[in-house]
Amino acid sequence: MNQKGLLAKRSVLPADHWDVALSQGNVATALQALGRNAEALEQNQRAIEILERALGRQHPDLALHIHNRGEIRLALGQAPAARADFEQALAIWKGELPPDHLYNSYPLTGI
């Protein structure tokens, strides 16, 4: 897996910049696709921490990464933690997006 894009962003942006977090989340998704779920969870958590600081705890982009953490936790057999992530993502999206937005269906599927 190639992390050059993330490294490039880290070299020119502050470590807590929201765009670094988006790339961090992409790395997590790639690791999950490779079956490297423990590493994916670690990368995803870093993205979540950056996004919480940069965008706030109710931002829809944060909810996407929280949802993705739920998917990773499901793959790791951590169903109760995954459900909590899905419920948190859904709560954020319901508060920030229209009720019929497609994103609302993702955590419902996980739940």
Side-chain angles (χ1 to χ4, degrees):
M1 183 187 58
N2 190 333
Q3 295 186 18
K4 288 182 183 178
L6 177 58
L7 295 174
K9 284 184 182 181
R10 284 184 178 160
S11 72
V12 297
L13 295 172
D16 61 348
H17 193 277
W18 63 268
D19 201 18
V20 171
L22 297 182
S23 291
Q24 192 90 44
N26 289 339
V27 168
T29 299
L31 287 166
Q32 183 184 13
L34 293 170
R36 295 165 54 184
N37 294 312
E39 293 171 77
L41 185 59
E42 181 180 314
Q43 295 293 322
N44 181 269
Q45 185 59 39
R46 287 183 191 155
I48 289 171
E49 291 167 3
I50 294 169
L51 288 171
E52 283 180 338
R53 287 191 302 272
L55 302 177
R57 302 197 78 183
Q58 297 301 311
H59 197 280
D61 286 346
L62 173 64
L64 179 61
H65 291 273
I66 292 169
H67 172 268
N68 289 347
R69 182 175 62 190
E71 294 289 347
I72 296 167
R73 285 178 165 169
L74 270 184
L76 289 168
Q78 300 172 2
R83 183 183 182 103
D85 285 337
F86 295 140
E87 289 172 351
Q88 183 181 1
L90 183 60
I92 293 169
W93 281 330
K94 280 186 169 183
E96 298 294 322
L97 302 174
D100 60 347
H101 196 283
L102 177 64
Y103 279 9
N104 292 322
S105 68
Y106 298 153
L108 290 172
T109 301
I111 291 168

